[in-house]
Amino acid sequence: MENSELELITNLKNEKTRELAFQSLVKLYQERLYWHIRKIVMDHDDADDVLQNTFIKVWRSIDKFREESTIYTWLYRIATNESITFINSNKRRSLVPMNETSEFLMNNLTSDPYFEGDEIQLRLQQAILRLPEKQRIVFNMKYYEEMKYEEMSQVLDTSVGALKASFHHAAKKIEEYLKNRD
């Protein structure tokens, strides 16, 4: 860990400096976390809600951070789990069958007034949304966030080999979907 990260963690765990350190943490990571969450939940307003829940959870559990990973990895793990929890609770509330998650997220994407992609980006997102949840998350982390497999392994608590396989399968399915749409 870098000195600046160690200093941030120390300040987060100190009652006297916690608020200022937390503001720094939010400023440092909110945009990256927002886009990570947005690629999972697909809707701007939902992503904002999940981001807020993520930072609330971080604030409440900062004393439990064991420093076994970087703070970035810990934040991504919380954001990923909060995103999945959000999707699952919305599916239950709207009575969406578990196997129709991609349709639920597709509706989020196409009804989001903040989606500014062109036809090609929309088709790519549609292909990604058809992936199983784990493959979708792995693909987004690798393709969009250019996260290393080792970091993903810590965030998702999965082996590097399993992540490589998930990414490979996801890429093949996306390629197949896009080929069949031409």
Side-chain angles (χ1 to χ4, degrees), residues 4-153:
S4 57
E5 183 165 321
L6 289 173
E7 186 180 325
L8 179 62
I9 293 166
T10 302
N11 289 336
L12 283 165
K13 291 189 174 194
N14 180 335
E15 294 265 339
K16 291 182 176 102
T17 56
R18 179 173 290 162
E19 268 187 55
L20 198 56
F22 188 73
Q23 289 173 11
S24 296
L25 177 91
V26 170
K27 190 181 286 184
L28 193 59
Y29 292 107
Q30 76 178 4
E31 187 175 344
R32 285 164 72 189
L33 287 175
Y34 167 83
W35 286 109
H36 171 67
I37 293 166
R38 175 82 182 263
K39 284 180 180 62
I40 298 172
V41 301
M42 301 312 300
D43 178 79
H44 167 72
D45 293 330
D46 292 344
D48 275 348
D49 290 346
V50 173
L51 181 63
Q52 185 174 7
N53 291 343
T54 298
F55 281 120
I56 289 169
K57 187 163 265 184
V58 167
W59 175 261
R60 289 181 179 158
S61 57
I62 196 66
D63 289 327
K64 296 179 186 122
F65 177 56
R66 295 189 307 262
E67 300 175 47
E68 293 170 354
S69 65
T70 65
I71 199 144
Y72 162 85
T73 302
W74 185 63
L75 293 171
Y76 267 70
R77 180 180 292 161
I78 293 170
T80 302
N81 290 337
E82 286 296 306
S83 299
I84 292 168
T85 299
F86 177 84
I87 289 171
N88 290 338
S89 70
N90 268 7
K91 283 190 304 194
R92 279 192 296 278
R93 259 187 268 133
S94 62
L95 303 173
V96 175
M98 291 305 227
N99 60 348
E100 293 178 21
T101 304
S102 65
E103 292 305 315
F104 172 77
L105 292 172
M106 195 80 66
N107 289 338
N108 272 1
L109 173 66
T110 55
S111 65
D112 184 356
Y114 297 99
F115 179 75
E116 297 174 348
D118 59 16
E119 183 63 28
I120 293 168
Q121 290 167 320
L122 181 62
R123 287 180 47 216
L124 176 60
Q125 284 305 314
Q126 289 171 335
I128 292 168
L129 288 175
R130 294 193 183 324
L131 296 172
E133 186 173 88
K134 184 174 183 177
Q135 286 179 9
R136 186 173 68 248
I137 290 169
V138 169
F139 183 84
N140 284 334
M141 291 171 104
K142 185 75 179 147
Y143 182 79
Y144 288 110
E145 298 170 41
E146 299 176 357
M147 196 178 277
K148 292 179 174 50
Y149 285 113
E150 290 73 22
E151 285 178 308
M152 277 195 278
S153 175

